[in-house]
Every structure is written in structure tokens, then in C-alpha cells.
Amino acid sequence: QLLSLVLGIVFGLLAGYYGGLVATLISRFIEVLQAFPSLLFIIVLSVSLGPGLLTAYIALGIVGWASVARIVRGQTMSLREAEYVEGARAMGASRASQIFRHILPGTLPSLIVIYSIGVGGAIIGEATLSFLGLGVRPPTPSWGQMIADGQSYLTTAWWMSVYPGIAIAIVVVAFNFLGDQLRDALDPRRR
């Protein structure tokens, strides 16, 4: 998830601040990436790189950065015209200073929400890969692997699959609520 956040921030800031050809190229690349079903793309990456925890991280990071970049790009485009950024530009601030000291902090409330929702998505993605046998390998624990292992015992020991599924649901919903609460607490426009 951290890989997708870093890539999304970098490409979103570049596309939103510079605009023009840079924004067009990055936007087209994002559109091509998002044209493919993400689960299918994750499975193809996992099969080609080989199953494992690092592979799951890389596959989820490559798939997830495009949505982060789109949101950061939109916010950057609106913030680069803000008065405080134009004031910094008039005072002679470098482009890097404008981007990292003035624009990036303005995108943080949205990034917190994106990251918290993305963590839930990454948990579901990893569980899906592990359920299919493409994620982490035993002895590393995984809720998806637990669900897959308990599948053959559904009639006699149903809890082997149901409890890990409930745990996934609780954790994902908790991360979504956490992100929403953090956004409300950190966004100065909501005070």
C-alpha cells in the first residue's frame, strides 16, 4: 500500500503541477492501467513474479497507485492556483518548494482517507491472492489462506472459514472509519 501511495503522490503532483504534455502522458498511462480489471492484473503479476509476500506487495502497489495519482492530480491542479501558492511563487519559491511545502500539505487530508481505504483494499487483495494460492505461503499466516484451508470443512467446522472472513470485514470497516475520522480531524475546512 505504501508503494501505491508514493507512486500516486509523485505522479499526481507532477501531472497536476506541470500540466500540458506531462499531465496528458501520465493521465493516458493511468487510463490504460485502469482499463484492465484490477484483480485480473494482480493475478497476472503474481503468476509472472511468483507467489509470495513481496510479490503481493508489488502487485497491489502497481495496481493501486493510479487512483491515488488521479485524486492528487485533481487536488494539485486546484491548489496550484491558490493564493498562498501564488504568493510563494511571487516571493521566488522554487517549484520543488511550491510542490512539497505548499501543495503537498494541502492534499494530506485526502491522502489519509485514500490510504486508509487503500489499506482495506490491500487486505482484501492479499486475502484474495492467498485464497487463490498466489499470495503468501505457509507458515506465514494469511486470512485468505485460512478461508481456503477451511473450505473443505464447511459442513463440519464452518468457523474455520467464517471467522477469518469476519475478521477481514471488521478490519476493513475499521480502517474506513479511521480514515474518515482522521480526515474530519485534520481537514481545516471542516472546522
Side-chain angles (χ1 to χ4, degrees):
Q1 182 58 27
L2 188 60
L3 175 65
S4 65
L5 189 67
V6 170
L7 289 174
I9 289 171
V10 169
F11 285 113
L13 286 172
L14 289 174
Y17 186 81
Y18 290 106
L21 181 64
V22 173
T24 302
L25 291 174
I26 292 173
S27 295
R28 296 305 162 252
F29 185 66
I30 289 171
E31 289 169 2
V32 167
L33 186 64
Q34 288 186 327
F36 296 104
S38 57
L39 182 60
L40 181 63
F41 195 61
I42 289 171
I43 290 171
V44 167
L45 282 173
S46 295
V47 167
S48 54
L49 295 175
L53 187 59
L54 182 62
T55 301
Y57 288 154
I58 292 171
L60 292 169
I62 289 174
V63 169
W65 74 268
S67 59
V68 175
R70 286 190 114 165
I71 292 171
V72 171
R73 176 182 174 260
Q75 291 221 323
T76 302
M77 288 173 58
S78 67
L79 290 174
R80 76 173 178 203
E81 304 301 327
E83 292 178 4
Y84 64 93
V85 176
E86 294 211 2
R89 190 175 307 132
M91 298 278 294
S94 67
R95 289 181 177 174
S97 174
Q98 292 174 41
I99 292 172
F100 292 109
R101 289 188 66 208
H102 302 288
I103 294 175
L104 181 61
T107 65
L108 286 180
S110 296
L111 289 174
I112 290 169
V113 174
I114 293 167
Y115 187 74
S116 65
I117 292 171
V119 167
I123 290 170
I124 291 173
E126 186 280 323
T128 302
L129 288 175
S130 295
F131 179 80
L132 296 173
L134 300 172
V136 298
R137 294 285 193 202
T140 306
S142 169
W143 283 328
Q145 185 64 44
M146 289 178 192
I147 293 171
D149 291 344
Q151 204 174 11
S152 56
Y153 302 105
L154 280 176
T155 56
T156 58
W158 54 269
W159 55 87
M160 290 178 65
S161 287
V162 172
Y163 288 163
I166 291 172
I168 291 171
I170 289 171
V171 170
V172 169
V173 169
F175 270 108
N176 288 342
F177 281 134
L178 176 67
D180 194 36
Q181 294 301 316
L182 285 174
R183 184 200 61 210
D184 291 345
L186 297 176
D187 193 354
R189 293 173 290 207
R190 293 188 174 262
R191 291 183 188 162

